[in-house]
Amino acid sequence: MEPFRTIVSRPSVLLRDDVDTDQIMPKQFLKRVERTGFGQFLFYDWAQEEGWDLPRTQVLVTGRNFGCGSSREHAPWGLEDYGFKVIIAESFADIFRTNCTKIGLLPIELDRPTVEAIAQADTVEVDLEAQEVRWDGKTATFEIDPDTKHRLLNGLDDIALTLQQADALEAYERERERRGPVTTAL
């Protein structure tokens, strides 16, 4: 996972509330196990509608309760593969928010008037270190769990966090008491 840096981008706007994970990544595309290649299926059914336009930018601005529905990880994978690094919304489903941060995608919750103002901006700057979103001379601050912020700033996914404890894990394996017959090669 790449460390999160300040993002400056045009916003892509999808001001719809209650967008569920099946709308983000429809079920027929869940047969793959690798995390790449899902961007082409993002909002697949809506993308077939006349007039649909969702530019590939780094910031998605959307409505309330984004990512509700099932806990499928494919939805954040598709958003990331499409090019998004930040999703700004009034609220997120809890599991969806967690799935986003585990792959380096930053979900930011802001109040509705602020989300709507950002949706009208030509350019948005997201500074994770300062916990600020800036646009048109305005600034909004956002909250984020300190551990999640640390992981995103340092590009640490769950495996990288575990590997930081490699010495302790190896010591545990060397020193732990083994009861019964040993069934593995030492």
Side-chain angles (χ1 to χ4, degrees), residues 11-15 61-62 114-122 124 135:
S12 289
V13 179
L14 179 66
L15 279 181
V61 179
T62 188
T114 303
V115 169
E116 290 175 351
I118 293 169
Q120 300 298 315
D122 289 329
V124 178
W135 76 101

Side-chain angles (χ1 to χ4, degrees), residues 63-99:
R64 144 183 79 69
N65 197 27
F66 190 77
C68 58
S70 68
S71 64
R72 66 183 64 159
E73 295 153 325
H74 302 74
W77 294 352
L79 289 159
E80 178 193 42
D81 193 57
Y82 198 77
F84 294 120
K85 298 192 180 309
V86 177
I87 305 168
I88 298 173
E90 188 177 352
S91 61
F92 295 92
D94 287 338
I95 293 172
F96 177 82
R97 179 189 307 106
T98 299
N99 286 341

Side-chain angles (χ1 to χ4, degrees), residues 9 20 25 27 32 36 38 48 51 58 82 84 97 112 133 149 157 161 171-172:
S9 175
D20 67 39
M25 184 58 53
K27 64 189 174 309
R32 307 176 61 213
T36 59
F38 286 98
Q48 309 309 310
Q58 295 183 53
Y82 198 77
F84 294 120
R97 179 189 307 106
R112 186 63 170 226
V133 178
K149 179 179 178 179
D157 61 14
L161 284 171
Y172 171 79

Side-chain angles (χ1 to χ4, degrees), residues 99-116:
N99 286 341
C100 285
T101 62
K102 287 184 178 287
I103 64 168
L105 196 56
L106 176 61
I108 296 175
E109 288 189 11
L110 297 170
D111 62 68
R112 186 63 170 226
T114 303
V115 169
E116 290 175 351

Side-chain angles (χ1 to χ4, degrees), residues 21-78:
T21 53
D22 193 47
Q23 293 162 324
I24 298 168
M25 184 58 53
K27 64 189 174 309
Q28 65 265 33
F29 304 113
L30 306 183
K31 298 173 184 157
R32 307 176 61 213
V33 293
E34 58 277 339
R35 275 184 33 189
T36 59
F38 286 98
Q40 64 185 320
F41 308 120
L42 189 68
F43 302 114
Y44 185 79
D45 295 327
W46 292 343
Q48 309 309 310
E49 297 173 3
E50 189 171 328
W52 172 262
D53 181 35
L54 189 67
R56 288 181 181 257
T57 67
Q58 295 183 53
V59 177
L60 174 64
V61 179
T62 188
R64 144 183 79 69
N65 197 27
F66 190 77
C68 58
S70 68
S71 64
R72 66 183 64 159
E73 295 153 325
H74 302 74
W77 294 352

